[in-house]
Amino acid sequence: MLRLFRAVAIAEACSWVGLLAGMYVKYIAQAGELGVKIFGPVHGGLFVLYLAAVLLLARQEGWSRATTVLGLACSVPPLATVWFERRQQRRRSHQGEPQTATSVAATGSRR
């Protein structure tokens, strides 16, 4: 579930960037709305998937209500889903959970 959560958080953030770029092209550059037509539905689907992933992981991991609400709220600002996922990964590794190969490579050591 943790890998799925990470993938969804990153994909949701990327779709946010795509949607913002599409909105720039549509409303500021006034050069067409193709970006919004593509990234709007993609972002909407990933947004809902991220919310579901937060709720499922919160239940599985026993997150507090405050942590769960923060995770849900991070779906709104652009790129905040990545910040929240990294925050939870750091918290998990500091609580003595086994680190994944990715976190070992990123820190250079196992604590």
Side-chain angles (χ1 to χ4, degrees):
M1 184 64 195
L2 292 170
R3 284 185 184 194
L4 175 65
F5 178 67
R6 181 180 181 149
V8 170
I10 292 169
E12 194 275 346
C14 290
S15 73
W16 238 128
V17 171
L19 182 57
L20 290 173
M23 290 169 57
Y24 173 83
V25 169
K26 180 178 179 179
Y27 296 110
I28 306 297
Q30 297 181 347
E33 56 185 58
L34 182 61
V36 173
K37 285 185 176 182
I38 292 171
F39 285 105
V42 169
H43 177 68
L46 288 168
F47 174 83
V48 171
L49 190 57
Y50 174 80
L51 295 177
V54 166
L55 294 173
L56 289 171
L57 197 57
R59 187 172 191 187
Q60 177 182 318
E61 297 290 316
W63 292 350
S64 68
R65 181 168 285 158
T67 299
T68 304
V69 169
L70 177 62
L72 295 171
C74 283
S75 65
V76 178
L79 308 177
T81 56
V82 173
W83 171 82
F84 181 76
E85 184 276 326
R86 300 267 167 111
R87 176 182 182 267
Q88 291 308 108
Q89 185 179 34
R90 280 191 307 272
R91 284 183 160 207
R92 187 174 172 85
S93 67
H94 287 277
Q95 293 174 350
E97 295 291 328
Q99 291 183 323
T100 64
T102 305
S103 63
V104 171
T107 62
S109 66
R110 286 183 180 242
R111 292 191 207 203

